[in-house]
Amino acid sequence: MKRVLLLALMLGACGREPATAVADSAGARLEAAAETAGIVPDPNAPLQGSWARDTDRVCVVGIGKTARIGVSIDYGEDQACAASGAVERSGDALKLAFGTCKFDARFDGDRIVFPAEVPEACESLCTGRASLAALTVDRLSESRSEAATLRSTKGKLLCGN
């Protein structure tokens, strides 16, 4: 999409075809078809829903600038994390706040990726050697009701009321 906008601005500056013709160009149609086919992630995809990879789970409930987020990691034998908090989205950047544990993550439309290093304050959310660091989850569902049912290993609702 950025390429289409840049091309439209360049063409407009040169006095060529109007920008509306560029939106219907072969390149724009190809990019739209790739997004529709799921080859290219949609940068405007909703964040709300259920996310998972292996035993790692994330829920996001709420539409708009700020939403509730919950994380459950379960590696068994007292190796787990559970966190509830808020997430604020700005494009592909996510600002996460689980109490005093605050950090930025990435969202590409198909996946949420936590940074490889998280603040020391996040250690209190985990037991054993488990960590929130480098958590990566893929979308399972955009359903609010499904996301609101995610529970920690101790049965606490992580995104519910």
Side-chain angles (χ1 to χ4, degrees), residues 49-60 69-75 81-84 98 112 114 131-132 135-140 146-147 149-153 158-159:
S50 297
W51 304 80
R53 182 174 287 179
D54 297 325
T55 60
D56 302 338
R57 304 279 184 261
V58 173
C59 58
V60 179
I69 186 168
V71 177
S72 175
I73 297 172
D74 182 10
Y75 300 132
C81 299
S84 290
F98 302 108
I112 297 173
F114 285 17
S131 172
L132 296 176
L135 172 81
T136 300
V137 289
D138 303 301
R139 181 184 304 279
L140 292 178
E146 185 176 329
T149 64
L150 180 66
R151 294 182 182 269
S152 70
T153 55
L158 297 174
C159 282

Short mmCIF file of all heavy atoms in Angstrom, two decimals, residues 49-60 69-75 81-84 98 112 114 131-132 135-140 146-147 149-153 158-159:
data_model
loop_
_atom_site.label_atom_id
_atom_site.label_comp_id
_atom_site.label_asym_id
_atom_site.label_seq_id
_atom_site.Cartn_x
_atom_site.Cartn_y
_atom_site.Cartn_z
N GLY A 49 -9.22 -10.92 19.15
CA GLY A 49 -9.39 -12.32 18.86
C GLY A 49 -8.52 -13.21 19.71
O GLY A 49 -7.95 -12.79 20.71
N SER A 50 -8.43 -14.47 19.27
CA SER A 50 -7.62 -15.49 19.94
C SER A 50 -6.38 -15.77 19.12
O SER A 50 -6.45 -15.88 17.90
CB SER A 50 -8.42 -16.79 20.09
OG SER A 50 -9.54 -16.58 20.90
N TRP A 51 -5.27 -15.94 19.81
CA TRP A 51 -3.97 -16.15 19.19
C TRP A 51 -3.29 -17.32 19.89
O TRP A 51 -3.43 -17.48 21.10
CB TRP A 51 -3.12 -14.89 19.33
CG TRP A 51 -3.77 -13.67 18.79
CD1 TRP A 51 -4.73 -12.90 19.39
CD2 TRP A 51 -3.54 -13.09 17.53
NE1 TRP A 51 -5.10 -11.87 18.56
CE2 TRP A 51 -4.38 -11.96 17.41
CE3 TRP A 51 -2.70 -13.40 16.47
CZ2 TRP A 51 -4.40 -11.16 16.29
CZ3 TRP A 51 -2.72 -12.60 15.35
CH2 TRP A 51 -3.57 -11.48 15.26
N ALA A 52 -2.51 -18.13 19.18
CA ALA A 52 -1.83 -19.25 19.83
C ALA A 52 -0.66 -19.76 18.99
O ALA A 52 -0.61 -19.56 17.78
CB ALA A 52 -2.81 -20.40 20.06
N ARG A 53 0.24 -20.43 19.68
CA ARG A 53 1.29 -21.24 19.07
C ARG A 53 1.73 -22.23 20.14
O ARG A 53 2.13 -21.82 21.23
CB ARG A 53 2.45 -20.41 18.58
CG ARG A 53 3.52 -21.27 17.90
CD ARG A 53 4.63 -20.48 17.28
NE ARG A 53 4.17 -19.81 16.06
CZ ARG A 53 4.96 -19.02 15.34
NH1 ARG A 53 6.19 -18.78 15.70
NH2 ARG A 53 4.48 -18.44 14.25
N ASP A 54 1.64 -23.49 19.83
CA ASP A 54 1.94 -24.56 20.80
C ASP A 54 1.13 -24.34 22.07
O ASP A 54 -0.09 -24.29 21.99
CB ASP A 54 3.45 -24.63 21.07
CG ASP A 54 4.25 -25.00 19.82
OD1 ASP A 54 3.74 -25.80 19.02
OD2 ASP A 54 5.37 -24.49 19.66
N THR A 55 1.79 -24.19 23.22
CA THR A 55 1.05 -24.00 24.48
C THR A 55 0.96 -22.53 24.87
O THR A 55 0.52 -22.21 25.97
CB THR A 55 1.71 -24.78 25.63
OG1 THR A 55 3.05 -24.31 25.79
CG2 THR A 55 1.70 -26.28 25.35
N ASP A 56 1.38 -21.63 24.00
CA ASP A 56 1.29 -20.19 24.26
C ASP A 56 -0.04 -19.67 23.74
O ASP A 56 -0.43 -20.00 22.61
CB ASP A 56 2.42 -19.43 23.57
CG ASP A 56 3.80 -19.92 24.00
OD1 ASP A 56 3.90 -20.50 25.09
OD2 ASP A 56 4.76 -19.71 23.23
N ARG A 57 -0.73 -18.87 24.54
CA ARG A 57 -2.05 -18.34 24.17
C ARG A 57 -2.11 -16.85 24.47
O ARG A 57 -1.59 -16.39 25.48
CB ARG A 57 -3.17 -19.03 24.95
CG ARG A 57 -3.22 -20.53 24.84
CD ARG A 57 -3.92 -20.94 23.55
NE ARG A 57 -4.07 -22.37 23.45
CZ ARG A 57 -3.27 -23.14 22.73
NH1 ARG A 57 -2.27 -22.63 22.08
NH2 ARG A 57 -3.48 -24.44 22.65
N VAL A 58 -2.80 -16.11 23.61
CA VAL A 58 -3.04 -14.68 23.80
C VAL A 58 -4.49 -14.39 23.44
O VAL A 58 -5.00 -14.94 22.46
CB VAL A 58 -2.09 -13.81 22.94
CG1 VAL A 58 -2.45 -12.34 23.01
CG2 VAL A 58 -0.63 -14.02 23.36
N CYS A 59 -5.12 -13.53 24.22
CA CYS A 59 -6.46 -13.06 23.88
C CYS A 59 -6.43 -11.54 23.83
O CYS A 59 -5.68 -10.90 24.58
CB CYS A 59 -7.49 -13.53 24.92
SG CYS A 59 -7.16 -13.00 26.61
N VAL A 60 -7.21 -10.97 22.92
CA VAL A 60 -7.37 -9.52 22.83
C VAL A 60 -8.85 -9.25 22.69
O VAL A 60 -9.50 -9.80 21.80
CB VAL A 60 -6.60 -8.92 21.63
CG1 VAL A 60 -6.82 -7.42 21.56
CG2 VAL A 60 -5.11 -9.24 21.72
N ILE A 69 -5.78 -7.31 27.00
CA ILE A 69 -4.96 -8.41 26.48
C ILE A 69 -4.64 -9.36 27.62
O ILE A 69 -4.46 -8.94 28.76
CB ILE A 69 -3.67 -7.90 25.80
CG1 ILE A 69 -2.91 -9.07 25.14
CG2 ILE A 69 -2.78 -7.13 26.79
CD1 ILE A 69 -1.79 -8.62 24.21
N GLY A 70 -4.61 -10.64 27.30
CA GLY A 70 -4.22 -11.66 28.27
C GLY A 70 -3.25 -12.62 27.64
O GLY A 70 -3.29 -12.87 26.44
N VAL A 71 -2.34 -13.15 28.46
CA VAL A 71 -1.32 -14.09 27.97
C VAL A 71 -1.27 -15.28 28.91
O VAL A 71 -1.26 -15.12 30.14
CB VAL A 71 0.08 -13.42 27.93
CG1 VAL A 71 1.14 -14.41 27.50
CG2 VAL A 71 0.08 -12.22 27.02
N SER A 72 -1.24 -16.47 28.34
CA SER A 72 -1.08 -17.70 29.10
C SER A 72 -0.01 -18.55 28.42
O SER A 72 -0.13 -18.87 27.23
CB SER A 72 -2.39 -18.48 29.17
OG SER A 72 -2.19 -19.72 29.81
N ILE A 73 1.03 -18.88 29.19
CA ILE A 73 2.10 -19.74 28.70
C ILE A 73 2.17 -20.90 29.68
O ILE A 73 2.24 -20.70 30.88
CB ILE A 73 3.45 -18.99 28.66
CG1 ILE A 73 3.36 -17.82 27.68
CG2 ILE A 73 4.59 -19.93 28.30
CD1 ILE A 73 4.56 -16.89 27.69
N ASP A 74 2.14 -22.13 29.17
CA ASP A 74 2.15 -23.30 30.05
C ASP A 74 3.10 -24.35 29.49
O ASP A 74 2.81 -25.00 28.50
CB ASP A 74 0.74 -23.87 30.17
CG ASP A 74 0.67 -25.06 31.12
OD1 ASP A 74 1.66 -25.33 31.83
OD2 ASP A 74 -0.38 -25.72 31.13
N TYR A 75 4.26 -24.47 30.16
CA TYR A 75 5.23 -25.49 29.76
C TYR A 75 5.21 -26.68 30.71
O TYR A 75 6.06 -27.54 30.64
CB TYR A 75 6.64 -24.88 29.69
CG TYR A 75 6.73 -23.75 28.69
CD1 TYR A 75 7.34 -22.55 29.03
CD2 TYR A 75 6.20 -23.87 27.41
CE1 TYR A 75 7.43 -21.51 28.12
CE2 TYR A 75 6.29 -22.83 26.50
CZ TYR A 75 6.91 -21.66 26.87
OH TYR A 75 6.99 -20.62 25.97
N CYS A 81 3.42 -18.71 32.65
CA CYS A 81 3.21 -17.27 32.79
C CYS A 81 1.72 -17.01 32.62
O CYS A 81 1.05 -17.70 31.83
CB CYS A 81 3.95 -16.47 31.72
SG CYS A 81 5.74 -16.63 31.70
N ALA A 82 1.23 -16.02 33.33
CA ALA A 82 -0.15 -15.57 33.15
C ALA A 82 -0.16 -14.07 33.39
O ALA A 82 0.39 -13.58 34.38
CB ALA A 82 -1.09 -16.26 34.12
N ALA A 83 -0.77 -13.33 32.46
CA ALA A 83 -0.79 -11.88 32.57
C ALA A 83 -2.06 -11.32 31.94
O ALA A 83 -2.53 -11.84 30.93
CB ALA A 83 0.43 -11.28 31.87
N SER A 84 -2.59 -10.28 32.56
CA SER A 84 -3.73 -9.53 32.02
C SER A 84 -3.37 -8.07 32.06
O SER A 84 -2.75 -7.60 33.02
CB SER A 84 -4.99 -9.75 32.87
OG SER A 84 -5.46 -11.05 32.72
N PHE A 98 1.16 -4.76 31.47
CA PHE A 98 0.66 -5.75 32.43
C PHE A 98 1.08 -5.24 33.81
O PHE A 98 2.08 -5.70 34.37
CB PHE A 98 1.26 -7.13 32.17
CG PHE A 98 0.99 -7.67 30.79
CD1 PHE A 98 1.99 -7.75 29.85
CD2 PHE A 98 -0.28 -8.11 30.45
CE1 PHE A 98 1.74 -8.27 28.58
CE2 PHE A 98 -0.54 -8.62 29.19
CZ PHE A 98 0.47 -8.70 28.25
N ILE A 112 1.46 -11.89 16.32
CA ILE A 112 1.92 -10.97 17.37
C ILE A 112 3.27 -11.49 17.84
O ILE A 112 3.41 -12.68 18.13
CB ILE A 112 0.93 -10.91 18.55
CG1 ILE A 112 -0.42 -10.36 18.09
CG2 ILE A 112 1.50 -10.08 19.69
CD1 ILE A 112 -1.51 -10.41 19.14
N PHE A 114 6.39 -10.73 20.60
CA PHE A 114 6.95 -10.02 21.75
C PHE A 114 8.46 -9.88 21.53
O PHE A 114 9.06 -10.69 20.82
CB PHE A 114 6.70 -10.79 23.04
CG PHE A 114 5.28 -10.72 23.56
CD1 PHE A 114 4.22 -10.31 22.77
CD2 PHE A 114 5.00 -11.08 24.85
CE1 PHE A 114 2.92 -10.26 23.26
CE2 PHE A 114 3.71 -11.04 25.37
CZ PHE A 114 2.67 -10.63 24.56
N SER A 131 9.05 -17.42 30.50
CA SER A 131 9.21 -15.98 30.28
C SER A 131 8.27 -15.52 29.17
O SER A 131 7.89 -16.28 28.29
CB SER A 131 10.65 -15.67 29.86
OG SER A 131 10.79 -14.33 29.46
N LEU A 132 7.93 -14.24 29.23
CA LEU A 132 7.14 -13.62 28.16
C LEU A 132 8.02 -13.26 26.95
O LEU A 132 7.51 -12.96 25.87
CB LEU A 132 6.45 -12.35 28.66
CG LEU A 132 5.41 -12.52 29.76
CD1 LEU A 132 4.89 -11.15 30.20
CD2 LEU A 132 4.26 -13.39 29.28
N LEU A 135 7.76 -14.34 22.83
CA LEU A 135 6.49 -15.01 22.57
C LEU A 135 6.03 -14.63 21.15
O LEU A 135 6.05 -13.46 20.78
CB LEU A 135 5.43 -14.56 23.58
CG LEU A 135 4.01 -15.02 23.31
CD1 LEU A 135 3.84 -16.45 23.80
CD2 LEU A 135 3.02 -14.13 24.01
N THR A 136 5.64 -15.61 20.38
CA THR A 136 5.11 -15.38 19.04
C THR A 136 3.86 -16.23 18.88
O THR A 136 3.90 -17.43 19.12
CB THR A 136 6.14 -15.77 17.95
OG1 THR A 136 7.32 -14.99 18.13
CG2 THR A 136 5.59 -15.54 16.56
N VAL A 137 2.76 -15.59 18.52
CA VAL A 137 1.49 -16.29 18.35
C VAL A 137 0.85 -15.92 17.02
O VAL A 137 1.05 -14.82 16.51
CB VAL A 137 0.52 -16.01 19.52
CG1 VAL A 137 0.99 -16.68 20.80
CG2 VAL A 137 0.34 -14.52 19.74
N ASP A 138 0.08 -16.87 16.48
CA ASP A 138 -0.63 -16.68 15.22
C ASP A 138 -2.12 -16.61 15.49
O ASP A 138 -2.62 -17.21 16.45
CB ASP A 138 -0.35 -17.85 14.28
CG ASP A 138 1.14 -18.02 14.02
OD1 ASP A 138 1.76 -17.07 13.53
OD2 ASP A 138 1.66 -19.10 14.33
N ARG A 139 -2.84 -15.91 14.63
CA ARG A 139 -4.29 -15.76 14.80
C ARG A 139 -5.01 -17.09 14.67
O ARG A 139 -4.78 -17.85 13.75
CB ARG A 139 -4.85 -14.79 13.77
CG ARG A 139 -6.36 -14.57 13.94
CD ARG A 139 -6.96 -13.69 12.87
NE ARG A 139 -6.35 -12.41 12.75
CZ ARG A 139 -6.62 -11.36 13.54
NH1 ARG A 139 -7.47 -11.47 14.52
NH2 ARG A 139 -6.02 -10.21 13.34
N LEU A 140 -5.91 -17.33 15.64
CA LEU A 140 -6.82 -18.47 15.57
C LEU A 140 -8.21 -18.01 15.16
O LEU A 140 -8.89 -18.68 14.40
CB LEU A 140 -6.93 -19.17 16.92
CG LEU A 140 -5.71 -19.90 17.45
CD1 LEU A 140 -6.00 -20.49 18.82
CD2 LEU A 140 -5.29 -20.99 16.48
N GLU A 146 -14.91 -15.86 21.94
CA GLU A 146 -13.90 -16.90 22.09
C GLU A 146 -12.69 -16.35 22.85
O GLU A 146 -12.16 -17.01 23.75
CB GLU A 146 -13.48 -17.42 20.72
CG GLU A 146 -12.51 -18.58 20.80
CD GLU A 146 -12.19 -19.14 19.43
OE1 GLU A 146 -13.04 -19.10 18.53
OE2 GLU A 146 -11.06 -19.63 19.27
N ALA A 147 -12.25 -15.15 22.50
CA ALA A 147 -11.09 -14.55 23.17
C ALA A 147 -11.37 -14.32 24.65
O ALA A 147 -10.49 -14.49 25.49
CB ALA A 147 -10.73 -13.22 22.49
N THR A 149 -12.83 -16.08 26.70
CA THR A 149 -12.85 -17.30 27.52
C THR A 149 -11.46 -17.80 27.89
O THR A 149 -11.35 -18.78 28.63
CB THR A 149 -13.60 -18.44 26.80
OG1 THR A 149 -12.88 -18.78 25.60
CG2 THR A 149 -15.03 -18.04 26.47
N LEU A 150 -10.39 -17.17 27.43
CA LEU A 150 -9.04 -17.65 27.75
C LEU A 150 -8.79 -17.56 29.25
O LEU A 150 -9.05 -16.54 29.89
CB LEU A 150 -7.97 -16.83 27.01
CG LEU A 150 -6.53 -17.27 27.28
CD1 LEU A 150 -6.27 -18.67 26.73
CD2 LEU A 150 -5.55 -16.28 26.69
N ARG A 151 -8.30 -18.66 29.81
CA ARG A 151 -8.02 -18.74 31.25
C ARG A 151 -6.55 -19.08 31.49
O ARG A 151 -5.92 -19.75 30.68
CB ARG A 151 -8.88 -19.81 31.90
CG ARG A 151 -10.35 -19.48 31.88
CD ARG A 151 -11.18 -20.56 32.58
NE ARG A 151 -12.59 -20.26 32.52
CZ ARG A 151 -13.25 -19.56 33.44
NH1 ARG A 151 -12.61 -19.09 34.48
NH2 ARG A 151 -14.55 -19.33 33.30
N SER A 152 -6.07 -18.64 32.65
CA SER A 152 -4.72 -19.01 33.07
C SER A 152 -4.74 -20.47 33.51
O SER A 152 -5.80 -21.10 33.62
CB SER A 152 -4.28 -18.11 34.23
OG SER A 152 -5.02 -18.43 35.40
N THR A 153 -3.57 -21.02 33.81
CA THR A 153 -3.49 -22.40 34.28
C THR A 153 -4.20 -22.58 35.62
O THR A 153 -4.58 -23.68 35.98
CB THR A 153 -2.03 -22.86 34.42
OG1 THR A 153 -1.34 -21.95 35.27
CG2 THR A 153 -1.35 -22.92 33.06
N LEU A 158 -8.49 -14.24 31.60
CA LEU A 158 -7.45 -13.28 31.29
C LEU A 158 -7.96 -12.08 30.49
O LEU A 158 -7.37 -11.02 30.55
CB LEU A 158 -6.30 -13.98 30.56
CG LEU A 158 -5.60 -15.04 31.39
CD1 LEU A 158 -4.58 -15.79 30.53
CD2 LEU A 158 -4.93 -14.44 32.61
N CYS A 159 -9.02 -12.25 29.71
CA CYS A 159 -9.57 -11.14 28.94
C CYS A 159 -11.03 -10.87 29.27
O CYS A 159 -11.63 -9.97 28.71
CB CYS A 159 -9.44 -11.40 27.44
SG CYS A 159 -7.80 -11.11 26.79
#
